């Protein structure tokens, strides 16, 4: 069994190898279409409701969101964005912070800088009038997502899936620097209308301005809420059924013939 952890196979036959006779589990219609086009038998192709992510992102967070925002020095009622670029952060976070300063009365940000202590220090020192909370590497990503209304970051297949399970619309960049396996993710975001894809984070202020319009933001949030990725819970049942079926045909029947 091959479980795609990307929204699509790239390059072709990277995940999907028909000659192995493996089951192909895909969280997107694109992956299903690719499996068919590569010659995988129909009975071996299974569509799941999304990509597998850590079950922690499904656990209810019972803490009071407004109170926790205040504890971090943030406004309990202000639109809050999460800026997240993987385990080592990214210098582009400085650009994002600078360009979003003009929304200081309408927007506040949580920056997670990963292991980049220098980046975290620079963001703290350059805070100015904008309300922001800056932290380094943390295992509490679900908690910080719970405190936010949307996410800005790179189009990583798993991180985008995590944000959407936490009901956060996303803003990502698609440029020459985008990793090849993440290119289709930007297409998928646009197709599902669960966020914005921009050419450069130099335009991040224009994108956020769209989120500041209540009718636009409500539409994106409704589209996110309509998704129901339960793949991490679906796949054990799928595997059990496959094992049971194969056991019956390869073991039980020959035993009955003896």
């Amino acid at each position: 069994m091959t479980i795609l952890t990307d929204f699509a196979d790239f390059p072709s036959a990277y995940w999907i190898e028909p000659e192995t006779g493996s089951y192909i589990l895909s969280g997107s219609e694109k992956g299903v279409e690719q499996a068919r086009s590569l010659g995988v038998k129909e009975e071996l192709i299974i569509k799941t409701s999304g990509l597998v992510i850590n079950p922690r992102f499904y656990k209810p967070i019972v803490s009071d969101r407004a109170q926790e925002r205040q504890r971090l020095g943030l406004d309990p009622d202000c639109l809050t964005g999460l800026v997240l670029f993987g385990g080592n952060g990214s210098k582009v976070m400085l650009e994002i912070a600078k360009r979003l300063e003009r929304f200081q009365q309408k927007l506040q940000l949580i920056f997670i800088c990963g292991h980049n202590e220098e980046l975290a220090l620079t963001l703290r020192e350059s805070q100015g009038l904008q309300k922001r909370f800056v932290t380094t590497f943390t295992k509490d990503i679900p908690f910080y997502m719970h405190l936010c209304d949307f996410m800005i970051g790179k189009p990583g297949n798993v991180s985008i899936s995590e944000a959407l399970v936490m009901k956060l619309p996303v803003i990502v960049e698609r440029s020459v620097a985008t990793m090849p396996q993440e290119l289709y993710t930007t297409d998928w975001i646009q197709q599902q209308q669960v966020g914005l894809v921009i050419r450069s984070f130099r335009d991040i202020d224009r994108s956020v301005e769209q989120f500041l319009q209540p009718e636009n933001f409500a539409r994106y949030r409704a589209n996110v809420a309509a998704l129901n990725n339960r793949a991490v819970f679906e796949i054990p049942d799928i595997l059990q059924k496959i094992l049971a079926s194969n056991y019956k045909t390869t073991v039980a029947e020959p035993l009955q013939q003896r």
Side-chain angles (χ1 to χ4, degrees):
M1 177 186 292
T2 299
I3 303 169
L4 275 67
T5 58
D6 294 326
F7 282 104
D9 193 28
F10 188 91
S12 181
Y14 177 81
W15 285 106
I16 303 170
E17 299 176 292
E19 63 274 11
T20 65
S22 299
Y23 284 87
I24 301 296
L25 273 63
S26 170
S28 74
E29 290 294 343
K30 178 71 172 181
V32 169
E33 293 169 4
Q34 289 176 315
R36 287 191 185 117
S37 67
L38 289 170
V40 178
K41 295 178 180 179
E42 192 68 32
E43 61 269 24
L44 298 180
I45 303 172
I46 300 174
K47 169 73 168 61
T48 61
S49 58
L51 303 190
V52 172
I53 64 170
N54 194 304
R56 293 176 59 226
F57 288 88
Y58 296 89
K59 293 182 178 179
I61 299 175
V62 296
S63 59
D64 183 274
R65 191 165 84 145
Q67 185 177 7
E68 290 298 331
R69 283 180 175 181
Q70 285 183 307
R71 186 176 65 83
L72 299 182
L74 301 173
D75 187 320
D77 303 313
C78 186
L79 186 72
T80 306
L82 176 68
V83 185
L84 176 64
F85 282 81
N88 292 303
S90 169
K91 289 184 178 179
V92 76
M93 296 166 78
L94 298 173
E95 176 86 13
I96 291 169
K98 180 179 179 181
R99 292 189 177 274
L100 295 182
E101 283 179 358
R102 69 185 183 95
F103 299 119
Q104 55 187 326
Q105 301 301 323
K106 301 178 180 179
L107 175 72
Q108 58 192 3
L109 299 169
I110 293 177
F111 292 86
I112 300 180
C113 302
H115 297 287
N116 197 329
E117 298 277 354
E118 182 179 351
L119 174 63
L121 179 61
T122 302
L123 282 166
R124 291 189 185 105
E125 291 178 343
S126 63
Q127 181 167 341
L129 296 176
Q130 184 189 60
K131 286 191 175 181
R132 68 176 67 155
F133 175 78
V134 181
T135 188
T136 50
F137 182 81
T138 175
K139 294 182 179 180
D140 295 326
I141 300 297
F143 169 74
Y144 288 110
M145 285 188 172
H146 169 68
L147 299 186
C148 293
D149 300 299
F150 67 94
M151 187 183 83
I152 301 170
K154 68 186 189 72
N157 293 274
V158 174
S159 61
I160 293 299
S161 297
E162 292 169 348
L164 296 176
V165 164
M166 297 295 293
K167 308 305 179 187
L168 305 184
V170 297
I171 301 176
V172 300
E173 180 188 67
R174 179 183 176 123
S175 68
V176 294
T178 302
M179 298 179 69
Q181 68 270 26
E182 296 176 351
L183 289 172
Y184 178 73
T185 310
T186 63
D187 294 335
W188 185 88
I189 290 169
Q190 291 177 312
Q191 291 165 8
Q192 303 296 319
Q193 297 184 46
V194 292
L196 299 170
V197 178
I198 58 180
R199 294 181 180 179
S200 169
F201 282 117
R202 290 190 295 271
D203 300 323
I204 187 64
D205 52 336
R206 299 176 191 173
S207 300
V208 168
E209 201 160 25
Q210 292 188 46
F211 276 6
L212 289 171
Q213 298 174 17
E215 65 279 7
N216 284 341
F217 194 57
R219 177 166 51 86
Y220 286 114
R221 292 199 70 173
N223 292 336
V224 172
L227 299 176
N228 187 27
N229 175 12
R230 306 287 297 176
V232 71
F233 307 110
E234 296 167 350
I235 290 176
D237 290 337
I238 292 170
L239 179 57
Q240 186 176 28
K241 290 177 182 177
I242 290 172
L243 289 173
S245 174
N246 278 274
Y247 178 82
K248 180 179 179 180
T249 57
T250 61
V251 178
E253 289 181 359
L255 284 174
Q256 290 172 0
Q257 294 172 6
R258 292 179 183 178

